[in-house]
Each structure stands twice: as structure tokens, then as C-alpha cells.
Amino acid sequence: MDIISNLINGTLVFSTALIFAALGGLISERSGVINIGLEGFMVSGAFFSAVIAYYAETAGLGKLSPWMGIIGAFVFTAIFSSIHAIATIRFKANQVVSGVVINILAASSTFFLVKLIFEGSAESPLLSTVFHKFKIPLLGDIPFLGNAFFNNYPTTYIAIAFVIIIYYVIYRTATGLRLRAVGEHPGAADTVGVKVNRMRYMAVILSGSIAALGGATIVLTSNGNFAFNTISGQGYIALAAVIFGKWNPIGAMLASLFFGLAQAVKDQLQIFDFAASIPNEFFYMLPYLLTMLVLIGAVGKARAPKALGEPYEVGKR
Amino acid sequence: MNKLMSIFRRESAVIPVVSIIIGLVLGALIMLLGGYDPLLAYDSLVTKIFGSSYDIGEALRTIVPLVMCGLAVGIAFRSGLFNIGVDGQIIMGSVGALIVGTKLSLPAPFHAIVAVIFGGILGGLWGALIGYIKAKRGINEVITSIMFNFIALYLSHYLIRNFMPQAGTQRSAMIQESASIQIGWLSELMGGARIHWGFLLTILAVIFYSIYLNKTKWGYELRAVGLNPDAAEYAGMNVSKVMVRTMFISGVFGGLVGTFEVLGVFKYIAINSVTSGLGFDGIAVALLGGNSALGVLLSGMLIGALTYGSQGMSFGAEVPGEIIRMVIGFIIFFVAAPGIVKLFFRPLFNKMEKKV
């Protein structure tokens, strides 16, 4: 029983960053703008959270410093993601190319800045104050379930809250209706008075900021600092989770949990002989392989927003 | 000569050139903000490239894979496909070359030839698979590409660890000397720079690219599909076939990059947690070169030279070399969004239009 409950707990830990990034990707893509730059936004979030939390720590903010880090990652990545927004919306750049540029710029500039800020060091110093697992009173004491679900990092609870809020906004509010309309048929949305490009600006900028929380999660819970390989491909897994989850927040969360499970299984089951006989590489490959298999098997069901990838010109019907 | 000049006067050439200049200027500004000396940095970059015959040779070695990657991305682009899976195709190519290079025993030139062909084909098939999935199941090639990059990465780790390991290290066994494509005498002449026959094959690939696209029926179909797949279908072309064929050729270019790196440069494959990223640089090369053979060659030379030269910056001016990656990022950004360049240089463009 302990193994199963640890497995669930581990899955949540590994999935949190993916959930944030996938939610970010989903918001942008729902508005019709492809976001291959999720990886870069996660890198940006990881970088800003590490640097800001470090300075908050040295300034003596104590337990507040990881919170400063996570807020800083959100705010500063908004500025970074506006590059993607301006390029794709105002200047109609190819959205995939712009995303690739975001990834290149994020990787190179953060590495450059880390060297600059920390006098030639290739990574940021290890933080001494990071998030700790927080046991929810009462619920956390329930046998099995308590350890599995209610003894987790604050970021995990925030991620789950985001899923619910974003689901509600997209499917139950006027703003969400407009967002979906802009991604499906911008011309029609424009006719009824929705400001298409303004909607997209908001979506893309928010997309980067939320993805950045994923990067911050990794730094402020498991890693404790920022290095060039902190993210290493998780942004792309999140992208897969968006598609796997059919551009639906709940779906994206389930997909992220599934990918997290693949990682947690690897960690938890190594004590068994049969698991040790399965090559590690297979576990690493699993998320990508499954995404492909599901896509190939379920074509037509996973439908992207109709206007995805198309810049919108005012007056186009 | 007039024709050549008119190429450079066209807007399609002005945008990349202006983008390169803005990119370098932005890089300099960032260096200034960081308290570095940009003039010294760029000076040591150029010195690094042309410093010695060894440096020239190694710069050429850096240029070769970039040109090939540019061709790989470029040919797919021309048919309307976005191949960001070149990284995966490189891996499959390198694994193919490694298998032949370590497992087979053949006399010297044949061993290498078989390894190059096998690596190229393996890369090609990996690419063709992406095209096939797009053609038959309608799944966006960008997503398939990304997934296939990671699958190739871990597949290669599995194959290396289990079938071609070098005990106690994080890399594969060495290929047999008979499979090497290094040019021994030229390498000696250039102070040990790792010059290889892939250099010649790259020039041939550029020529092939130009002829295939512009002078053959298949190339015509490819361009037609790229311009308007519906019209091409209506005109009786088999769009699916064109997609798969194009992705195969694109994958061969990528696969050859991996083959060259294994057979001509490193002689083994290191087990890295990430892909090389060369395929993403290929996007920069193709975009900057406007997907034409000559353009890809020129932009590959520029980006390759910058990449190699950046290694000298940390020595000469203590500037981290990553700044050049940023400059390359800026350049693609401006080429991809020419509106920004025009905005900055509106007066310049107005003047040019008046003259013409």
C-alpha cells in the first residue's frame, strides 16, 4: 500500500510542472497562436525564480523567498512572452519559427545571464529556502489517501486550482467563449465585436507566464537551483500533453499526470527485479511513444482549434 | 554579373542582411550592458575563425553540418512541411553509421561508403515516417517531429548501451578505422583539423538540391505542393507521395549530418541527455537563406563561422560564447518577422523604392 500511495504522491510531484506548462500552452493555442516556445518559457521561469528567490533569501526574507521567486517568474516571463505575442500577432511571423526563437533565446540568454550574475559560474547557487511538502490538516492524516494526495508541495495545490479556474473560465464565462471563438473563427468573432488581437495578446502573454510557473516549480521544489539542463525537454512533453488532452484543461492535466506517472514508476519500482529488467530508456521514451500511438489511433478526435497558426487581419472574414 | 547584382538588390536579400546587422548590433549592446567590450569580442571572434589553418579547417567542419541541416529544413519548407525533426534524423543517421562502423568488417573505402549510405537511408526513413504519418493520418508534422526527436534520442541510448558500449564510459565504442571518412593528408596539412569527405558531399548536396528543385519533374511537383496543395492535387499530383518523398530526402540530409559527425569527426557517439540542437540551427540557416541552395550555403557559412568563432570570445574578451546563440536567435527573429525590420528602416526602404 505504501508503494502505491508513494507512487501517487510522486506522480503529483513530477506532474506539477507539466500541468502548469500544459495549461499555458492550452490558453495560447485556444486563442489560435501555436506555442512551441513552452520549453523556453519554462526555462525563463526557472531562471527568474532561481535568481529572485536567491536575492530574496540573501535579503533575509526567509520563508517568503520562494514565494517571491514564483511571483517573479510569473511577472518577468510576461515581459519575455510578449516578444512571442508581438512577433506573431502584430508582425505575423510564422508562429512555429517564433517559438523556436523563444527556445533559443531563453536557453542562451539565461545561461549568459547566470554567468554574468554569478561571476562565471555555469549554474545559480543552491537555495537554502525552498518549498516544503505541506500536509493539509485532517485530510493529511487519512491513511493511504493522506500521504497520496494531501501531503504535497504548495505548487501542486496551486496547479490543481489553476486547472479548475481555467476550466471554469474557458467553458463557463463570456471571456472564455470569446477566447474559444477567436481560436476557432476569428472573422466571426470580430463581426460580433470581439477584439481578436487583443484577446490573443492576453492569451499568449498569460500562456508564457503560466508555463513559467512550471519552470519555477522545478527549481523551488526538486532542484533548488537553475542550470542549463534544469528543464531539458519538459516543455515539449507539456506540448504533447496539450494535444494528448485535446486542448481541454482537465484533459491536459490528466495527460500531464500520466506523463508524471511514467517518471514516478521509474523511481518507485526500481526496487523490484522485473522493473529493473526493463531498460530505463523505455521509461524515458514512454510519453513520446504513447503520444504518437494515441495520435495515430485517434485521429479526428483530437482536433486543434480551427484558426491555429493563422495570423488575423482585421476585416478578414 | 548584372543578374548577380539584382539578386542582392532584391528585398529578399536586403531583409536577411539587415537582420544580420541588427542581430550583431543587439549582441554588442548586450555585451556593453554586461560590462564587456564588444569590439574586442567581435575581433577575437574573427581572429578565432581565421587565426590559423587549424582554425579555418575546424570552422569548415562546423559549417558542413549546418549547411546540410539547412538543406534538410529547406527542402521540406519548399513543399510546405516544417521539419523540426532534423535532430532525430541526425541521431538515426549517426546510429546507422555507428552500427556499420563498429559491427561490419570491410576493406577501407567500401566500409566507409556502406556506412554513409546506411546512415543516410536510416535518417531518410525516419524522416519519411513523419511524412507518411502526415500524409495518411493528417497528424501535424511539427508534433510528430518533436516526438520522434525524443524517441530517436532514447532509442539510440538503448542501442548504444546494449549493443555498442564502451565499458565504463558514457559513450559508444569507436568505429573501425576502415570506416573513417577523415581526409588524413588534408587534416595533417591543417594542423589536425578534423576535415572529412563529408565536406565534398555537402557541396554535391547543395548542387543536388538546386537541380532537384528547379530542373526535375519531382522538384516541380514538390514546389507545386508547397505553393498550393489543393491545386496540386487537382492538377493530378499525388500530394501524399510528394510529402513522403520530400521528407525522405530531407531525412537523408539530416542522416548524413549524423554520419559525417560519427565517421569523420568524433568516431563515436556520446550519450547526451539532450539532442544536438543542430536541427534547430538548420531552421535558422534555411530561413536566413530563403530556402534556396545558394542562400542556404551562404547562411550556413555565416552561422557556422559565428558558432565556431564564438569559442574564441571567452578567451579573447572573456565574453561567454552564448551571446552568439542570442545573436543567431535575433537574426532568425528578424528574418521571420520582416515587418519589424521594415519598421526600423522605413526611411531606407522608401529611398530604395524611389531609386528603382
Side-chain angles (χ1 to χ4, degrees):
Chain A
M1 280 309 256
D2 264 4
I3 289 175
I4 308 272
S5 114
N6 282 341
L7 188 68
I8 295 172
N9 194 282
T11 301
L12 284 168
V13 170
F14 283 123
S15 311
T16 305
L18 292 176
I19 293 175
F20 278 126
L23 286 176
L26 180 146
I27 291 177
S28 166
E29 303 222 333
R30 272 289 167 140
S31 81
V33 180
I34 300 169
N35 198 346
I36 300 275
L38 286 182
E39 174 85 2
F41 294 130
M42 284 184 86
V43 170
S44 159
F47 167 77
F48 283 117
S49 67
V51 171
I52 293 166
Y54 172 76
Y55 279 111
E57 199 176 281
T58 34
L61 287 177
K63 289 206 154 177
L64 269 179
S65 58
W67 291 103
M68 301 293 290
I70 208 163
I71 293 166
F74 188 88
V75 172
F76 282 98
T77 305
I79 300 167
F80 185 47
S81 49
S82 56
I83 296 178
H84 186 51
I86 293 169
T88 54
I89 299 164
R90 166 83 172 78
F91 292 101
K92 301 181 176 60
N94 181 312
Q95 298 173 356
V96 177
V97 173
S98 174
V100 170
V101 171
I102 288 291
N103 291 339
I104 294 178
L105 280 184
S108 53
S109 60
T110 53
F111 203 38
F112 175 76
L113 287 171
V114 164
K115 278 190 180 170
L116 193 66
I117 298 171
F118 302 107
E119 278 136 28
S121 168
E123 45 189 89
S124 76
L126 209 59
L127 299 165
S128 48
T129 323
V130 290
F131 286 124
H132 290 288
K133 284 194 177 172
F134 172 73
K135 198 159 113 184
I136 296 181
L138 295 176
L139 289 174
D141 293 325
I142 304 170
F144 183 77
L145 293 179
N147 176 45
F149 294 104
F150 303 111
N151 182 20
N152 242 307
Y153 293 109
T155 42
T156 304
Y157 304 127
I158 298 172
I160 307 289
F162 266 53
V163 171
I164 297 164
I165 294 168
I166 289 170
Y167 181 87
Y168 179 81
V169 170
I170 289 183
Y171 292 105
R172 297 279 185 276
T173 67
T175 316
L177 183 64
R178 290 191 194 111
L179 179 79
R180 283 183 287 148
V182 160
E184 293 290 336
H185 202 315
D190 194 358
T191 323
V192 294
V194 178
K195 297 262 184 295
V196 174
N197 285 347
R198 191 191 291 174
M199 200 72 206
R200 288 188 170 177
Y201 269 113
M202 266 169 39
V204 174
I205 291 172
L206 205 57
S207 160
S209 289
I210 295 176
L213 296 181
T217 298
I218 295 173
V219 166
L220 298 172
T221 58
S222 43
N223 282 34
N225 79 337
F226 173 80
F228 80 96
N229 61 353
T230 300
I231 304 301
S232 66
Q234 300 212 47
Y236 295 110
I237 304 189
L239 201 64
V242 175
I243 298 158
F244 207 47
K246 295 174 187 164
W247 288 269
N248 176 316
I250 310 277
M253 177 185 71
L254 292 175
S256 303
L257 284 171
F258 181 77
F259 293 156
L261 177 71
Q263 266 186 298
V265 163
K266 190 184 64 165
D267 276 21
Q268 292 290 326
L269 290 190
Q270 265 163 355
I271 37 176
F272 291 118
D273 286 342
F274 78 90
S277 68
I278 302 171
N280 253 346
E281 290 86 1
F282 180 76
F283 286 107
Y284 289 122
M285 209 192 282
L286 203 58
Y288 312 105
L289 213 54
L290 279 168
T291 305
M292 273 331 298
L293 290 176
V294 167
L295 282 178
I296 291 170
V299 78
K301 285 179 203 155
R303 196 182 60 82
K306 232 181 211 154
L308 191 59
E310 285 174 23
Y312 180 68
E313 304 220 24
V314 179
K316 192 167 123 186
R317 293 289 180 264
Chain B
M1 193 64 203
N2 263 338
K3 202 181 164 193
L4 197 72
M5 286 309 290
S6 71
I7 291 174
F8 286 105
R9 231 178 266 134
R10 277 205 313 244
E11 193 183 292
S12 65
V14 172
I15 294 281
V17 170
V18 174
S19 299
I20 293 164
I21 296 169
I22 308 179
L24 288 168
V25 170
L26 272 177
L29 281 176
I30 291 170
M31 283 187 249
L32 276 178
L33 287 175
Y36 298 111
D37 180 351
L39 286 179
L40 183 64
Y42 283 142
D43 183 56
S44 45
L45 180 139
V46 175
T47 316
K48 177 72 181 169
I49 304 167
F50 300 106
S52 63
S53 60
Y54 170 81
D55 283 324
I56 293 174
E58 282 287 297
L60 286 175
R61 168 186 86 70
T62 317
I63 288 168
V64 163
L66 286 166
V67 172
M68 290 297 285
C69 286
L71 296 179
V73 176
I75 200 162
F77 249 141
R78 290 295 284 267
S79 75
L81 292 168
F82 204 150
N83 181 11
I84 63 176
V86 178
D87 267 4
Q89 291 138 26
I90 294 173
I91 293 172
M92 294 313 283
S94 63
V95 169
L98 186 75
I99 292 172
V100 175
T102 54
K103 298 287 177 196
L104 277 189
S105 290
L106 285 170
F110 298 109
H111 197 178
I113 292 168
V114 173
V116 168
I117 292 172
F118 190 64
I121 288 177
L122 215 56
L125 291 176
W126 200 248
L129 204 54
I130 296 173
Y132 181 81
I133 292 171
K134 162 99 176 184
K136 292 293 169 204
R137 309 293 289 167
I139 298 163
N140 191 304
E141 76 278 9
V142 170
I143 286 305
T144 317
S145 291
I146 293 174
M147 299 305 132
F148 271 40
N149 283 348
F150 286 99
I151 295 172
L153 179 69
Y154 297 121
L155 185 64
S156 75
H157 289 181
Y158 173 75
L159 291 173
I160 293 166
R161 285 216 176 95
N162 291 283
F163 302 106
M164 294 160 285
Q166 175 86 302
T169 61
Q170 281 296 319
R171 59 180 184 81
S172 76
M174 303 282 272
I175 59 160
Q176 293 168 35
E177 207 35 55
S178 52
S180 164
I181 56 166
Q182 260 191 3
I183 310 177
W185 56 270
L186 193 60
S187 181
E188 253 168 56
L189 218 65
M190 299 187 104
R194 292 162 289 179
I195 287 286
H196 53 76
W197 287 109
F199 183 68
L200 188 73
L201 284 174
T202 301
I203 296 170
L204 290 177
V206 172
I207 296 167
F208 168 82
Y209 183 95
S210 173
I211 292 174
Y212 183 85
L213 265 186
N214 302 313
K215 302 272 186 248
T216 68
K217 175 174 162 268
W218 282 3
Y220 176 76
E221 285 185 350
L222 189 160
R223 285 181 290 139
V225 169
L227 291 172
N228 189 339
D230 296 330
E233 185 89 62
Y234 187 67
M237 294 171 192
N238 188 336
V239 174
S240 300
K241 224 178 206 171
V242 174
M243 275 182 187
V244 177
R245 193 191 291 145
T246 306
M247 282 303 290
F248 177 77
I249 299 173
S250 175
V252 169
F253 286 141
L256 286 177
V257 172
T259 343
F260 296 164
E261 299 287 281
V262 168
L263 301 177
V265 182
F266 297 107
K267 309 283 173 76
Y268 63 85
I269 303 180
I271 298 179
N272 289 321
S273 59
V274 287
T275 59
S276 63
L278 276 170
F280 289 96
D281 291 350
I283 299 171
V285 173
L287 206 63
L288 190 58
N291 304 317
S292 75
L294 181 68
V296 166
L297 182 67
L298 290 176
S299 67
M301 285 166 70
L302 175 82
I303 292 183
L306 285 178
T307 305
Y308 181 71
S310 69
Q311 296 169 17
M313 292 189 358
S314 39
F315 283 110
E318 286 167 4
V319 180
E322 286 74 36
I323 192 93
I324 289 302
R325 306 280 315 151
M326 292 172 75
V327 169
I328 293 171
F330 292 139
I331 295 173
I332 321 174
F333 184 71
F334 291 124
V335 174
I340 301 180
V341 177
K342 284 184 192 159
L343 199 70
F344 275 112
F345 287 80
R346 191 165 282 160
L348 187 95
F349 276 97
N350 286 345
K351 217 181 262 175
M352 273 184 25
E353 266 159 34
K354 262 176 218 157
K355 264 188 199 159
V356 176

Short mmCIF file of all heavy atoms in Angstrom, two decimals, chain B residues 42 87 130 175 185 195 214 220 294 311 325 327:
data_model
loop_
_atom_site.label_atom_id
_atom_site.label_comp_id
_atom_site.label_asym_id
_atom_site.label_seq_id
_atom_site.Cartn_x
_atom_site.Cartn_y
_atom_site.Cartn_z
N TYR B 42 34.08 40.85 -30.84
CA TYR B 42 33.92 40.52 -32.25
C TYR B 42 35.28 40.35 -32.93
O TYR B 42 35.44 39.54 -33.84
CB TYR B 42 33.09 41.60 -32.96
CG TYR B 42 31.60 41.48 -32.66
CD1 TYR B 42 30.80 42.60 -32.48
CD2 TYR B 42 31.00 40.22 -32.55
CE1 TYR B 42 29.44 42.48 -32.20
CE2 TYR B 42 29.65 40.09 -32.27
CZ TYR B 42 28.88 41.22 -32.10
OH TYR B 42 27.54 41.09 -31.82
N ASP B 87 16.90 16.92 -35.84
CA ASP B 87 17.70 16.39 -34.74
C ASP B 87 17.56 14.87 -34.63
O ASP B 87 18.54 14.15 -34.45
CB ASP B 87 17.26 17.01 -33.40
CG ASP B 87 18.09 18.24 -33.06
OD1 ASP B 87 18.92 18.62 -33.91
OD2 ASP B 87 17.90 18.79 -31.98
N ILE B 130 7.68 10.45 -40.70
CA ILE B 130 6.96 11.66 -40.32
C ILE B 130 6.05 12.11 -41.46
O ILE B 130 4.88 12.43 -41.26
CB ILE B 130 7.96 12.79 -39.95
CG1 ILE B 130 8.78 12.38 -38.72
CG2 ILE B 130 7.23 14.10 -39.72
CD1 ILE B 130 9.90 13.35 -38.38
N ILE B 175 34.40 3.54 -33.89
CA ILE B 175 34.24 2.86 -35.17
C ILE B 175 35.61 2.32 -35.62
O ILE B 175 36.65 2.77 -35.15
CB ILE B 175 33.72 3.81 -36.27
CG1 ILE B 175 34.65 5.00 -36.46
CG2 ILE B 175 32.31 4.25 -35.95
CD1 ILE B 175 34.49 5.69 -37.78
N TRP B 185 45.60 13.39 -45.15
CA TRP B 185 46.65 14.33 -45.60
C TRP B 185 46.22 15.78 -45.41
O TRP B 185 46.98 16.62 -44.98
CB TRP B 185 47.05 14.05 -47.05
CG TRP B 185 45.90 14.10 -48.04
CD1 TRP B 185 45.10 13.07 -48.42
CD2 TRP B 185 45.42 15.25 -48.75
NE1 TRP B 185 44.15 13.48 -49.31
CE2 TRP B 185 44.34 14.83 -49.54
CE3 TRP B 185 45.83 16.59 -48.80
CZ2 TRP B 185 43.63 15.69 -50.38
CZ3 TRP B 185 45.12 17.46 -49.64
CH2 TRP B 185 44.03 17.01 -50.41
N ILE B 195 39.00 17.54 -40.88
CA ILE B 195 38.39 17.70 -42.21
C ILE B 195 38.05 16.32 -42.76
O ILE B 195 38.83 15.39 -42.63
CB ILE B 195 39.40 18.41 -43.14
CG1 ILE B 195 39.51 19.88 -42.75
CG2 ILE B 195 38.98 18.29 -44.59
CD1 ILE B 195 38.32 20.71 -43.14
N ASN B 214 14.73 22.64 -59.10
CA ASN B 214 14.44 23.53 -60.22
C ASN B 214 14.39 22.85 -61.58
O ASN B 214 13.83 23.39 -62.52
CB ASN B 214 15.47 24.66 -60.27
CG ASN B 214 15.47 25.44 -58.96
OD1 ASN B 214 14.40 25.81 -58.47
ND2 ASN B 214 16.64 25.65 -58.39
N TYR B 220 9.48 19.94 -59.40
CA TYR B 220 8.36 20.80 -59.80
C TYR B 220 7.13 20.47 -58.98
O TYR B 220 6.44 21.35 -58.47
CB TYR B 220 8.09 20.60 -61.30
CG TYR B 220 6.89 21.36 -61.79
CD1 TYR B 220 6.95 22.74 -61.99
CD2 TYR B 220 5.68 20.72 -62.04
CE1 TYR B 220 5.86 23.45 -62.43
CE2 TYR B 220 4.58 21.41 -62.46
CZ TYR B 220 4.66 22.78 -62.67
OH TYR B 220 3.56 23.47 -63.07
N LEU B 294 21.81 28.38 -52.94
CA LEU B 294 22.88 29.34 -52.70
C LEU B 294 22.71 30.03 -51.35
O LEU B 294 23.67 30.19 -50.58
CB LEU B 294 22.91 30.38 -53.83
CG LEU B 294 24.01 31.44 -53.71
CD1 LEU B 294 25.38 30.82 -53.92
CD2 LEU B 294 23.79 32.58 -54.71
N GLN B 311 33.64 30.46 -29.79
CA GLN B 311 34.51 29.79 -28.81
C GLN B 311 35.71 30.66 -28.45
O GLN B 311 36.28 30.52 -27.38
CB GLN B 311 35.01 28.46 -29.37
CG GLN B 311 33.91 27.45 -29.61
CD GLN B 311 34.42 26.25 -30.41
OE1 GLN B 311 35.62 26.02 -30.52
NE2 GLN B 311 33.50 25.50 -30.98
N ARG B 325 24.76 32.66 -29.65
CA ARG B 325 23.48 31.96 -29.81
C ARG B 325 22.34 32.98 -29.76
O ARG B 325 21.36 32.87 -30.47
CB ARG B 325 23.27 30.93 -28.69
CG ARG B 325 24.36 29.92 -28.52
CD ARG B 325 24.29 28.79 -29.51
NE ARG B 325 22.95 28.26 -29.66
CZ ARG B 325 22.50 27.71 -30.77
NH1 ARG B 325 23.27 27.63 -31.83
NH2 ARG B 325 21.28 27.24 -30.84
N VAL B 327 22.59 36.14 -30.64
CA VAL B 327 22.64 36.89 -31.89
C VAL B 327 21.94 36.09 -33.00
O VAL B 327 21.13 36.63 -33.76
CB VAL B 327 24.11 37.20 -32.29
CG1 VAL B 327 24.18 37.73 -33.71
CG2 VAL B 327 24.71 38.18 -31.32
#
